Amino acid sequence: MSNATLEEARALDGPLVIGGVEFTSRLIVGTGKYATNRVMVDAIRASGAEMVTVAVRRVDLDRSREEGILHHLDPDEFFLLANTAGCYTAEDAVRYARLARAAGFNDFVKLEVIGDERTLLPDVHATLEAARTLSDEGFKVMAYTNDDLITALRLEDAGCVAVMPLASPIGSGLGVVNPYFIREIKRRLEVPVIVDAGVGTASDACITMEQGVDGVLMNTALAAADDPIRMSHAMKHAIVAGRLAFLAGRMPSREIAVPSSPTTGMLD
């Protein structure tokens, strides 16, 4: 699909609006695990993503250092989203969010507070605590959480501008494990719902978007692919395809065949 055709397809949809900021692409990508910074930048550009996450606890915030990730990410080209990945307490998450803003990031933060090192599932209590603190301080919080409706509703009440339930565990590539839960979260929340973690390939991305969510965040699916550039192209189109399929409304599923051609007026 050419870029012109892709833009025509996107024109059938509206923009993704998070915290008052409009984005054309509904794909958000991370910056970790790439073999080189050059591959990272090429993959991000191939994905068409505008919003890019940066784990402030794991990267050198000095933009002048060529070996650092931030040296290669132009804030005029990409909307940089500070990420509190690697934090295991509310206090640490708040501290690194503040550090990111002091280092020149915008007011948006992807809040991530891990509760279990093996599964990387979130600490719900700590996430809610940090979300309230950061929202009160003027941050626009996008909170990573599990696929639990009650937690999602509480994060919205805490002031989050987007809620980010997982499709499946971080880095697993299992795709959407509980599509019903994801759909119910989307039905009940007013803020955007961005599925974060677990998408492994283009079909996963398409199926995820078909649940009606507002977008998908991924990292490992791109960085760990044999060819991150090709996979990024695939994900870009899969996100658009899944979104348009949801908006179009699929045909009913049936367990019997139904002729696609009329049965009346047939020639003898």
Side-chain angles (χ1 to χ4, degrees):
M1 186 186 294
S2 69
N3 284 336
T5 306
L6 180 64
E7 291 310 311
E8 290 172 1
R10 282 177 171 165
L12 297 174
D13 188 13
L16 169 61
V17 182
I18 306 175
V21 179
E22 290 191 1
F23 300 92
T24 301
S25 174
R26 292 178 178 272
L27 175 59
I28 304 170
V29 298
T31 51
K33 302 182 180 180
Y34 286 96
T36 67
N37 286 326
R38 181 73 264 162
V39 172
M40 174 193 71
V41 173
D42 287 347
I44 293 172
R45 286 176 176 153
S47 76
E50 298 155 286
M51 181 180 282
V52 178
T53 69
V54 177
V56 292
R57 189 167 191 174
R58 295 173 175 162
V59 303
D60 187 343
L61 296 180
D62 185 353
R63 295 179 183 275
S64 66
R65 297 171 63 88
E66 188 171 351
E67 64 272 21
I69 285 176
L70 288 178
H71 181 80
H72 301 270
L73 296 173
D74 184 352
D76 291 331
E77 180 178 3
F78 305 114
F79 187 95
L80 300 183
L81 175 65
N83 179 3
T84 64
C87 292
Y88 287 80
T89 67
E91 292 78 11
D92 274 353
V94 169
R95 180 157 61 94
Y96 280 97
R98 291 169 177 165
L99 177 64
R101 184 156 67 176
F105 281 79
N106 51 59
D107 288 333
F108 282 73
V109 62
K110 183 202 165 188
L111 175 61
E112 187 174 311
V113 186
I114 299 300
D116 179 66
E117 193 167 357
R118 179 178 176 182
T119 62
L120 300 180
L121 292 174
D123 182 324
V124 171
H125 177 77
T127 300
L128 282 165
E129 180 184 344
R132 294 188 186 100
T133 299
L134 292 171
S135 294
D136 288 345
E137 293 183 8
F139 283 92
K140 295 184 177 182
V141 181
M142 301 171 62
Y144 163 72
T145 184
N146 53 30
D147 55 4
D148 171 58
L149 171 64
I150 306 307
T151 301
L153 289 168
R154 288 176 178 169
L155 285 167
E156 182 177 52
D157 289 343
C160 293
V161 298
V163 175
M164 309 180 77
L166 52 80
S168 50
I170 292 173
S172 68
L174 292 174
V176 180
V177 173
N178 293 308
Y180 166 77
F181 292 163
I182 296 298
R183 291 196 300 272
E184 188 63 16
I185 289 171
K186 175 55 190 171
R187 279 192 287 260
R188 299 284 294 277
L189 268 62
E190 295 184 9
V191 298
V193 174
I194 312 293
V195 169
D196 177 15
V199 170
T201 191
S203 57
D204 296 334
C206 191
I207 290 170
T208 301
M209 290 302 297
E210 287 176 356
Q211 308 312 307
V213 298
D214 299 283
V216 174
L217 190 154
M218 65 180 70
N219 185 173
T220 307
L222 304 182
D226 290 342
D227 188 333
I229 312 302
R230 280 196 174 102
M231 185 59 78
S232 295
H233 280 291
M235 292 297 192
K236 172 173 62 179
H237 295 294
I239 292 290
V240 174
R243 175 66 177 175
L244 292 184
F246 167 74
L247 294 176
R250 63 157 293 147
M251 61 167 284
S253 298
R254 301 184 180 94
E255 293 186 355
I256 58 172
V258 178
S260 57
S261 301
T263 56
T264 58
M266 297 177 65
L267 297 176
D268 294 330

